[in-house]
């Protein structure tokens, strides 16, 4: 990805000045830092950022500038990246399956917290010399409720196994914690509170006093115009459930937002390459920054602008959207409402595109070369 140094006030100013034919992602540092402060001020515990949602250096740099001091990392590359920018940040290595070489690398980079969901992985940490006094968080999973898709399908011990693992964590001299991930884009506080109640049961069954409880990510972003992500209610729900479950022995809380931290700070500008009746051919698609749309549903946070900067305002018309590759899977499922006066050469601006966009882009068929630019504001005043 190339990072443009030129500074433009808004995406519109950039598009008018540069007339880019390739997709461009616009980052607003102000929006990103404001979101980070919302988490730091509102969440009742330590806020760590899940790097996989968007590992861009400008993103990480702005989160550090806003005061984020902990990162949820899942691979040696993520560990090395965060360390290169933040020599003292807390690194929580929460991919519960690791090779011995990965454990050695992570230990050398000062990882202080590790998650496990199987006995073999816990013994591996001990065998690889992970120091006593490090935190080991046992990851557990419940049948999913309220998430856009299920993270528990891959990782997470049953509550019974989690209790056994937690007792073993203490025996091995590690600091005991529990962790879970309720799924992504969860709207209801209940997605977290059900897990917090079970965490208490697991700790009780293990006879262990938890030092920390990591409530994962899953906080919602604004994916549609009508959505108001209820972050405040979720923070209150988490604080209230922890207090109700643990009373005076409440563990310290940790969260690891990815999507909700970064989504709102980036808008994506795509260009209309061709129009054939109701069919629109764009310069990016599901192998690029729109990878999530088939899984999560298409966002309606769309604006269309003519090359001279005029907003298109024709009646909303159902369109079929194709990406640029020669693969017939490369389309947005269903129809998408776009202005009737849209034309070849127009720009389609999509808001709320900071998470799982640049992170998963491929170079399939030679596309996917996303440009990134910094702007003062994402919308016109
Ligand atoms: C992906 C992931 C996150 C971030 O999830 P979001 O839904 O983007 O907030 C947090 N923790 C872990 C362990 C993850 O794998």
């Amino acid at each position: 990805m190339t990072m443009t140094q030129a500074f433009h006030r808004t995406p519109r100013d950039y598009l008018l000045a540069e007339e880019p034919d390739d997709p461009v992602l616009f980052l607003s540092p102000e929006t990103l830092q404001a979101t980070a402060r919302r988490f730091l001020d509102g969440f009742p515990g330590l806020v760590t950022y899940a790097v996989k949602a968007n590992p861009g250096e400008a993103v990480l740099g702005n989160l550090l500038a806003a005061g984020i001091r902990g990162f949820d990392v899942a691979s040696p590359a993520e560990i090395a990246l965060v360390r290169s920018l933040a020599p003292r940040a807390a690194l929580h290595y929460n991919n519960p399956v690791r090779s011995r070489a990965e454990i050695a690398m992570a230990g050398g980079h000062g990882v202080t917290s590790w998650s496990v969901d199987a006995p073999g992985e816990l013994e591996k940490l001990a065998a690889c010399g992970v120091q006593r006094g490090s935190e080991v968080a046992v990851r557990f999973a419940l049948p999913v409720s309220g998430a856009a898709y299920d993270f528990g399908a891959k990782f997470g011990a049953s509550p019974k196994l989690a209790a056994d693992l937690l007792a073993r964590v203490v025996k091995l001299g590690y600091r005991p914690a529990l962790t879970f991930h309720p799924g992504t884009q969860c709207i209801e506080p209940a997605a977290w509170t059900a897990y917090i109640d079970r965490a208490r049961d697991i700790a009780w069954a293990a006879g262990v006093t938890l030092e920390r409880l990591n409530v994962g990510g899953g906080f919602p972003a604004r994916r549609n115009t009508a959505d108001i992500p209820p972050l405040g209610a979720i923070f209150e729900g988490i604080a209230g459930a922890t207090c109700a479950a643990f009373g005076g022995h409440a563990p310290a809380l940790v969260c690891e937002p990815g999507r909700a931290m970064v989504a709102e700070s980036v808008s994506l500008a795509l260009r209309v390459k061709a129009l054939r009746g109701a069919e629109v051919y764009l310069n990016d698609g599901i192998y690029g920054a729109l990878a999530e749309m088939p899984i999560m549903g298409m966002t309606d946070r769309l604006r269309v602008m003519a090359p001279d900067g005029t907003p298109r305002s024709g009646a909303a018309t159902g369109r079929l959207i194709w990406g640029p590759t020669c693969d017939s899977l490369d389309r947005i499922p269903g129809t998408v409402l776009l202005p009737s006066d849209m034309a070849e050469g127009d720009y389609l601006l999509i808001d709320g595109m900071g998470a799982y966009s640049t992170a998963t882009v491929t170079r399939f068929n030679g596309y996917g070369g996303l440009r990134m630019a910094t702007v003062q504001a994402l919308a016109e005043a």
Side-chain angles (χ1 to χ4, degrees):
M1 185 149 354
T2 47
M3 184 79 197
T4 327
Q5 292 305 317
F7 196 81
H8 293 273
R9 199 175 54 86
T10 61
R12 180 177 182 277
D13 285 7
Y14 179 103
L15 296 172
L16 284 174
E18 308 279 331
E19 271 195 64
D21 208 45
D22 293 328
V24 187
L25 285 144
F26 296 100
L27 171 70
S28 160
E30 194 176 309
T31 305
L32 181 55
Q33 293 202 27
T35 309
R37 284 193 298 272
R38 217 169 145 204
F39 271 94
L40 290 167
D41 294 346
F43 181 77
L46 176 69
V47 179
T48 66
Y49 171 61
V51 173
K52 82 171 184 288
N54 187 328
E57 288 197 16
V59 168
L60 299 174
N62 276 290
L63 291 176
L64 286 164
I68 299 290
R69 293 289 176 263
F71 293 84
D72 165 40
V73 289
S75 62
E78 288 185 356
I79 290 167
L81 173 64
V82 176
R83 261 296 163 260
S84 71
L85 301 169
R88 287 196 305 278
L91 295 179
H92 295 182
Y93 190 174
N94 287 335
N95 183 340
V97 180
R98 309 172 188 87
S99 72
R100 287 164 206 269
E102 287 174 333
I103 295 170
M105 183 277 179
H109 281 71
V111 162
T112 51
S113 178
W114 313 69
S115 73
V116 298
D117 67 353
E121 294 295 330
L122 178 53
E123 300 309 324
K124 229 192 250 179
L125 293 181
C128 292
V130 169
Q131 284 172 3
R132 294 166 75 90
S134 302
E135 176 177 81
V136 175
V138 175
R139 178 154 167 184
F140 69 104
L142 303 177
V144 76
S145 62
Y149 61 93
D150 183 0
F151 278 48
K154 183 162 186 185
F155 296 132
S158 68
K160 166 82 183 70
L161 175 59
D164 294 346
L165 284 167
L166 195 60
R168 180 88 183 128
V169 163
V170 172
K171 276 228 171 63
L172 288 168
Y174 296 125
R175 296 170 60 194
L178 282 171
T179 186
F180 59 86
H181 191 298
T184 204
Q185 187 70 13
C186 297
I187 303 294
E188 297 291 334
W192 287 267
T193 56
Y195 271 96
I196 293 167
D197 284 345
R198 286 313 281 274
R200 182 258 334 266
D201 299 343
I202 291 167
W204 190 84
V208 166
T209 303
L210 288 181
E211 292 196 24
R212 289 208 290 195
L213 175 61
N214 180 335
V215 301
F219 301 89
R222 188 170 172 219
R223 293 201 75 257
N224 285 298
T225 313
D227 295 345
I228 314 267
L231 284 187
I234 292 171
F235 296 156
E236 280 171 30
I238 289 170
T242 305
C243 195
F246 293 92
H249 302 283
L253 292 171
V254 182
C255 69
E256 39 193 36
R259 176 186 304 283
M261 186 69 91
V262 71
E264 195 62 24
S265 63
V266 174
S267 295
L268 171 67
L270 304 183
R271 196 162 205 193
V272 177
K273 297 174 69 171
L275 267 181
R276 294 188 194 161
E279 298 182 50
V280 180
Y281 294 77
L282 295 178
N283 60 354
D284 193 33
I286 69 160
Y287 296 100
L290 302 181
E292 267 207 326
M293 299 303 164
I295 308 162
M296 301 285 291
M298 183 61 180
T299 171
D300 71 356
R301 299 185 63 197
L302 307 171
R303 299 178 268 156
V304 181
M305 189 188 105
D308 70 358
T310 315
R312 297 290 190 193
S313 54
T317 311
R319 309 272 194 177
L320 193 162
I321 297 189
W322 295 104
T325 69
C326 298
D327 179 348
S328 54
L329 286 179
D330 191 5
R331 62 162 286 194
I332 302 299
T335 53
V336 178
L337 292 175
L338 290 167
S340 57
D341 51 348
M342 174 175 204
E344 179 192 332
D346 282 3
Y347 291 104
L348 172 64
L349 278 152
I350 312 181
D351 293 320
M353 286 298 294
Y356 307 110
S357 51
T358 64
T360 54
V361 70
T362 77
R363 297 307 304 258
F364 182 39
N365 240 183
Y367 290 101
L370 306 174
R371 276 203 252 178
M372 192 135 181
T374 299
V375 288
Q376 247 165 26
L378 292 167
E380 300 305 314

